């Protein structure tokens, strides 16, 4: 007699979202008529230490970076032993726009000539970095500081590609918004190298500011599928580092090339190494 077919478990209806523990969503209105979600991930022990204030890390491109950085903080950080506990703030796209539409506008400092054409898109708007910087400075940062126990003197910015281009723009024009900038593979080529050309008129930070600039070893022009085909971002990052170091006072700048990584793979290693560096834990370090 054939064996009876195994019973198939009935699953409950799928939910439209997954809730992450210790994570909240805010909605911030931009006076220009835009609305943005803002994601906040609190350290696991936040409620247990009502007198403690925490450094804050703001990450662009939050659809990708927020769950990644939250996991790095929680796993590698080991509740403050390896990485100091911090409040994580994610900056997702504007409501109603795709990530491409929102980031292309909000993270770029100008409306470029779109040469070469294959580095730009015809269906997006560019050049909104000034407005987005002011939106963060006037609406988002004060809201987070008022709602949570932040250490406003210890704000860190982290971005990759266009997100890091935006970070470089803030560093150039209003550097004291953050005390540390983690810039992963910044798109310094944008608009024929506009950001590097702005450095002669850059604002000098009023307080000590750290800049950690990183690129992958493959982000240069060589034969092979993982190498860049048009922009030598490795050289651009090195040249930009020299420019920043010449600004001297109050800027500590480090440039790290991470071998074995390309533009798509480098960010997880960048953010892990950077957090261990800029927010070291109470120790002793444990590798698990």
């Amino acid at each position: 007699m054939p064996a009876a077919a195994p019973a198939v478990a009935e699953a409950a209806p799928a939910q439209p979202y997954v809730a992450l523990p210790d994570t909240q969503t805010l909605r911030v209105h931009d006076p220009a008529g835009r609305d943005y979600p803002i994601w906040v991930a609190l350290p696991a022990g936040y409620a247990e230490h009502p007198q403690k204030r925490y450094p804050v890390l703001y990450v662009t491109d939050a659809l990708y970076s927020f769950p990644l950085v939250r996991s790095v903080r929680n796993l590698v950080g080991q509740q403050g032993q390896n990485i100091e506990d911090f409040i994580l703030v994610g900056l997702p796209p504007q409501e109603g726009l795709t990530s491409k539409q929102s980031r292309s506008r909000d993270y770029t400092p100008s409306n470029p000539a779109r040469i070469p054409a294959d580095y730009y898109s015809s269906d997006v708007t560019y050049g909104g970095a000034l407005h987005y910087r002011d939106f963060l400075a006037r609406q988002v940062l004060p809201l987070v500081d008022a709602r949570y126990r932040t250490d406003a003197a210890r704000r860190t910015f982290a971005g990759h590609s266009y997100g890091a281009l935006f970070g470089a723009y803030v560093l150039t024009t209003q550097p004291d918004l953050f005390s540390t900038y983690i810039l992963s593979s910044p798109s310094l080529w944008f608009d024929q190298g506009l950001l590097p050309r702005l450095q002669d008129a850059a604002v000098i930070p009023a307080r000590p500011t750290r800049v950690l600039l990183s690129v992958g070893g493959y982000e240069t022009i060589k034969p092979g599928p993982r190498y860049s085909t048009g922009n030598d971002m490795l050289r651009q990052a090195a040249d930009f580092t020299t420019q920043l170091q010449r600004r001297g006072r109050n800027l500590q700048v480090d440039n790290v090339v991470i071998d074995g990584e390309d533009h798509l793979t480098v960010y997880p290693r960048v953010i892990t190494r950077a957090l261990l560096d800029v927010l070291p834990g109470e120790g002793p370090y444990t590798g698990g």
Side-chain angles (χ1 to χ4, degrees), residues 10-284:
E10 290 190 12
Q15 298 299 312
Y17 58 85
V18 174
L20 299 174
D22 302 310
T23 301
Q24 303 173 7
T25 299
L26 309 176
R27 187 171 187 259
V28 184
H29 180 70
D30 179 345
R34 308 166 185 172
D35 292 297
Y36 289 84
I38 303 296
W39 298 340
V40 180
L42 300 173
Y46 183 84
E48 300 168 10
H49 303 281
Q51 305 305 316
K52 184 175 181 179
R53 292 194 169 272
Y54 294 85
V56 189
L57 172 65
Y58 287 81
V59 294
T60 57
D61 291 310
L63 296 179
Y64 166 66
S65 63
F66 184 83
L68 169 66
V69 177
R70 177 183 173 276
S71 296
V72 170
R73 181 196 66 185
N74 293 355
L75 177 63
V76 181
Q78 292 293 297
Q79 297 184 325
Q81 186 168 349
N82 294 341
I83 297 172
E84 181 180 358
D85 276 339
F86 60 88
I87 296 171
L88 172 64
V89 179
L91 304 173
Q94 176 194 332
E95 292 180 1
L97 296 186
T98 65
S99 178
K100 177 182 176 182
Q101 291 170 330
S102 189
R103 73 194 301 268
S104 296
R105 180 195 65 199
D106 292 342
Y107 297 166
T108 59
S110 60
N111 184 15
R114 310 195 186 200
I115 299 171
D118 57 348
Y119 274 82
Y120 302 94
S121 298
S122 60
D123 58 344
V124 299
T125 300
Y126 294 101
L130 171 60
H131 180 88
Y132 190 66
R133 182 203 70 189
D134 289 346
F135 166 67
L136 293 182
R138 296 170 184 171
Q139 271 82 41
V140 177
L141 273 60
L143 174 65
V144 171
D145 288 342
R147 191 179 183 100
Y148 303 99
R149 298 193 310 274
T150 66
D151 181 350
R154 300 180 65 204
R155 290 195 197 112
T156 295
F157 173 96
H160 175 74
S161 194
Y162 270 5
L165 174 69
F166 175 71
Y169 173 78
V170 176
L171 176 66
T172 300
T173 59
Q174 198 171 348
D176 291 318
L177 279 185
F178 302 93
S179 60
T180 301
Y181 291 81
I182 300 169
L183 306 180
S184 172
S185 304
S187 299
L188 298 169
W189 52 265
F190 183 84
D191 198 359
Q192 303 179 60
L194 175 64
L195 247 297
R197 289 189 280 115
L198 292 178
Q199 294 311 298
D200 287 343
V203 177
I204 302 298
R207 61 183 182 180
T209 302
R210 285 201 67 186
V211 181
L212 286 82
L213 208 159
S214 297
V215 291
Y218 283 109
E219 295 189 82
T220 189
I221 302 173
K222 287 184 180 181
R226 295 190 69 183
Y227 286 102
S228 173
T229 58
N231 280 307
D232 191 342
M233 297 179 73
L234 195 154
R235 179 187 57 77
Q236 292 163 2
D239 291 346
F240 190 61
T241 299
T242 300
Q243 285 185 296
L244 294 178
Q245 290 171 336
R246 286 174 181 162
R247 285 167 61 181
R249 181 168 59 87
N250 284 344
L251 269 181
Q252 177 186 341
V253 186
D254 298 295
N255 179 26
V256 177
V257 177
I258 301 182
D259 291 335
E261 306 295 347
D262 57 43
H263 193 69
L264 298 180
T265 66
V266 71
Y267 186 70
R269 287 183 64 186
V270 168
I271 197 64
T272 302
R273 292 171 59 143
L275 291 178
L276 288 166
D277 185 351
V278 303
L279 292 170
E282 61 190 13

